[in-house]
Amino acid sequence: MTPEEVLPDALVERIRGRAPGYDRDNAFFHEDLQELAEAGYLKLFVPAADGGKGLGLEAAAQCQRRLATAAPATALAVNMHLVWTGVAHVLQARGDNSLDFVLKEAAQGEVFAFGNSEAGNDSVLFDSRTVAEPQPGGGYTFTGTKIFTSLSPAWTRLGIFGKDLSAKESDGELVHGFITRETAGYSILDDWDTLGMRASQSNTTVLEGVHVPESRIFRKLPVGPNRDPLIFAIFACFETLLAAVYTGVGERALEVGVETVKRRTSFKNGGRSYAQDPDIRWKVAEAAMAMDNLYPQLASVTADVDALADHGPQWFPKLVGLKVNATETARRVVDLAIRVSGGSSYFRGSELERLYRDVLAGMFHPSDDESAHNTVATAWLGPLED
């Protein structure tokens, strides 16, 4: 199934048409989400036998790239649902059925979101500032604050994790589980008023003794880096689908830039199109070549995840390298598109103006630039000496 079959042109154009309004009003993309759900888009990873699209990571990433050309914030928020269902798919393909219930519930229309990010926690998945306290019966209560919780107005299942300091391990134990919309003890702050990616409504979520029963606890891991398949699956899906969104942003910026250059005319050159200006042509070519380098990297890495390729210690460098390349390339291409499009792109309401703000969010997603370079350097040179 091609991205065009999953997201027909008419649907893409309707989503593109709503994006400026969501951004202007700082509003959630309710209409987009409804149409995407009706089109089966939230079931990309759900097996066809259960009513889903039955796609792998490579095909899903291409769908997200296409969606992002229409509405980056919509694509970014939908990413969080697709990451969880993608994680379940990746684990299942490797013989781990611990998250099969995620695919089954997604098939029934549940919407998943990530409640993992925490302010000041640069260890990301390898430690937590949220406290997980064991309860009689095997469940846990979670107390802490989670940031960048995309899909805040719409999720029905939220994945969270915290640290059990009472565990036998000296540094504690990281406990992962899911809450539902009906779970008591959490609150969502109305604090998403940002530079870009506004429609994602990635509000802060406060957990105040939220109880997760044993049946919804799906992993307990030691603090620090480890080789549990869950960690690989999260990194694989999060980094590649994120890269797909920003690849779509760069792709759209190049398209808009080219369209604008062809329309612009030069007074000093007798009304000739700027498409005939050598300096403008150089910048367009630079943007196009940058994107041409990104497309095969996205396709190759996602195809290798699908194929269960064994890259050993090079897997994480490949994943974080793709993310950084995609976000930084997209930012450079948006900048070039604005430069060739002239002053009209500086005005509010211009699509390039919105893309310029949206693309900046890429630097804040894990893995950030510093962490990614450290990961790659360690893989090639070994760890820093004590």
Side-chain angles (χ1 to χ4, degrees), residues 45 55-58 85-100 103 219 227-237 240 300-312 315-316 319:
F45 289 109
L55 301 185
L57 189 59
E58 182 181 11
T85 54
V87 166
H89 166 78
V90 168
L91 288 176
Q92 189 179 77
R94 287 157 176 77
D96 183 332
N97 301 111
S98 59
L99 286 182
D100 281 5
L103 294 172
R219 223 40 151 237
R227 296 185 178 183
D228 189 277
L230 176 70
I231 301 300
F232 171 78
I234 290 177
F235 267 92
C237 295
T240 57
S300 173
V301 172
T302 51
D304 279 359
V305 175
D306 287 339
L308 279 64
D310 182 8
H311 291 299
W315 250 128
F316 287 97
L319 294 168

Side-chain angles (χ1 to χ4, degrees), residues 55-74:
L55 301 185
L57 189 59
E58 182 181 11
Q62 296 307 320
C63 290
Q64 279 294 85
R65 170 184 153 192
R66 179 169 168 80
L67 178 58
T69 65
T74 292

Side-chain angles (χ1 to χ4, degrees), residues 122-142:
D122 54 1
S123 293
V124 194
L125 288 175
F126 300 140
D127 204 347
S128 178
R129 305 180 74 172
T130 296
V131 176
E133 296 186 84
Q135 302 296 307
Y140 287 81
T141 58
F142 291 79

Side-chain angles (χ1 to χ4, degrees), residues 27-318:
F28 185 67
F29 59 98
H30 287 290
E31 297 90 345
D32 288 0
L33 186 62
Q34 180 178 345
E35 283 209 71
L36 289 168
E38 290 171 353
Y41 195 81
L42 303 186
K43 302 177 184 179
L44 291 184
F45 289 109
V46 173
D50 294 327
K53 301 295 185 184
L55 301 185
L57 189 59
E58 182 181 11
Q62 296 307 320
C63 290
Q64 279 294 85
R65 170 184 153 192
R66 179 169 168 80
L67 178 58
T69 65
T74 292
L76 182 67
V78 170
N79 240 22
M80 300 305 107
H81 171 83
L82 293 179
V83 168
W84 272 128
T85 54
V87 166
H89 166 78
V90 168
L91 288 176
Q92 189 179 77
R94 287 157 176 77
D96 183 332
N97 301 111
S98 59
L99 286 182
D100 281 5
F101 70 89
V102 169
L103 294 172
K104 293 186 181 300
E105 292 181 13
Q108 296 164 1
E110 304 296 347
V111 179
F112 288 80
F114 255 83
N116 285 356
S117 296
E118 300 166 336
N121 178 12
D122 54 1
S123 293
V124 194
L125 288 175
F126 300 140
D127 204 347
S128 178
R129 305 180 74 172
T130 296
V131 176
E133 296 186 84
Q135 302 296 307
Y140 287 81
T141 58
F142 291 79
T143 301
T145 300
K146 304 294 187 176
I147 60 173
F148 296 125
T149 314
S150 300
L151 290 172
S152 283
W155 61 259
T156 63
R157 302 285 187 268
L158 182 67
I160 60 175
F161 85 124
K163 183 161 61 176
D164 176 10
L165 294 170
S166 70
K168 295 179 181 179
E169 287 77 4
S170 59
D171 294 326
E173 187 173 53
L174 300 175
V175 183
H176 295 257
F178 282 101
I179 64 173
T180 71
R181 198 79 184 185
E182 293 73 31
T183 302
Y186 74 88
S187 58
I188 298 174
L189 305 185
D190 184 15
D191 62 350
W192 190 250
D193 189 6
T194 51
L195 180 68
M197 293 293 186
R198 288 161 63 82
S200 70
Q201 290 299 296
S202 305
N203 297 301
T204 297
T205 304
V206 181
L207 309 174
E208 300 175 288
V210 172
H211 181 256
V212 181
E214 183 179 22
S215 61
R216 304 296 286 189
I217 299 293
F218 63 90
R219 223 40 151 237
K220 298 178 184 179
L221 298 173
V223 172
N226 65 83
R227 296 185 178 183
D228 189 277
L230 176 70
I231 301 300
F232 171 78
I234 290 177
F235 267 92
C237 295
F238 191 93
E239 301 291 73
T240 57
L241 292 173
L242 194 69
V245 168
Y246 286 91
T247 300
V249 173
E251 180 178 357
R252 179 58 180 171
L254 177 58
E255 291 173 354
V256 175
V258 167
E259 291 169 2
T260 306
V261 165
K262 289 180 177 179
R263 289 197 306 268
R264 291 182 69 202
T265 56
S266 172
F267 179 72
K268 71 177 182 180
N269 287 324
R272 296 183 72 196
S273 167
Y274 268 96
Q276 302 303 310
D277 184 302
D279 293 329
I280 296 295
R281 293 171 68 87
W282 179 282
K283 289 182 173 63
V284 170
E286 185 177 350
M289 288 188 290
M291 291 305 302
D292 282 345
N293 286 330
L294 182 54
Y295 298 136
Q297 184 183 15
L298 176 64
S300 173
V301 172
T302 51
D304 279 359
V305 175
D306 287 339
L308 279 64
D310 182 8
H311 291 299
Q314 289 294 333
W315 250 128
F316 287 97
K318 285 181 178 292

Side-chain angles (χ1 to χ4, degrees), residues 314-345:
Q314 289 294 333
W315 250 128
F316 287 97
K318 285 181 178 292
L319 294 168
V320 300
L322 169 61
K323 181 268 175 182
V324 169
N325 190 28
T327 54
E328 292 300 314
T329 296
R331 190 164 65 143
R332 186 164 74 253
V333 169
V334 171
D335 182 76
L336 286 166
I338 285 177
R339 289 175 184 271
V340 302
S341 295
S344 64
S345 63

